[in-house]
Amino acid sequence: YFNEQQCVGVVILDPLAFGQLNADRQVDLIDALKNLTVAGGVHVMPSVRASPGECVPLSPDALDTAYPDWDTSRLGQTSRQRWFVAQRP
């Protein structure tokens, strides 16, 4: 965990690890990380390719609602290689 005096410039979210948290903890963690991120800093999350019958725990599209005031984009040429990127203004 972080204290209020630490700042980060880049956060990489592991969707499989992140997906193990319940929805409330996901929101709390994203909010905490956003508060620690410097202006111009980024949060990135690689896409996850699920095996047949496997549920992907977190979709990059689901993150849009968590970053309404940040600049968000998708990097990559295919859905399998696409990364979610959010940059703090």
Side-chain angles (χ1 to χ4, degrees):
Y1 294 113
F2 304 98
N3 66 46
E4 294 176 3
Q5 296 178 350
Q6 293 175 311
C7 295
V8 295
V10 176
V11 173
I12 299 176
L13 300 168
D14 179 337
L16 296 176
F18 193 80
Q20 294 178 18
L21 301 173
N22 68 38
D24 290 336
R25 292 294 294 152
Q26 290 177 357
V27 170
D28 291 345
L29 180 57
I30 286 177
D31 287 344
L33 292 170
K34 285 171 58 178
N35 288 332
L36 295 171
T37 304
V38 297
V42 295
H43 289 192
V44 296
M45 185 186 80
S47 60
V48 174
R49 184 174 181 200
S51 300
E54 181 182 30
C55 178
V56 175
L58 188 63
S59 161
D61 293 333
L63 290 173
D64 282 330
T65 58
Y67 293 91
D69 52 342
W70 289 39
D71 296 322
T72 60
S73 61
R74 305 296 187 283
L75 300 178
Q77 297 189 359
T78 69
S79 62
R80 286 181 30 202
Q81 298 173 335
R82 192 153 295 150
W83 288 58
F84 171 84
V85 179
Q87 183 173 23
R88 185 174 189 167

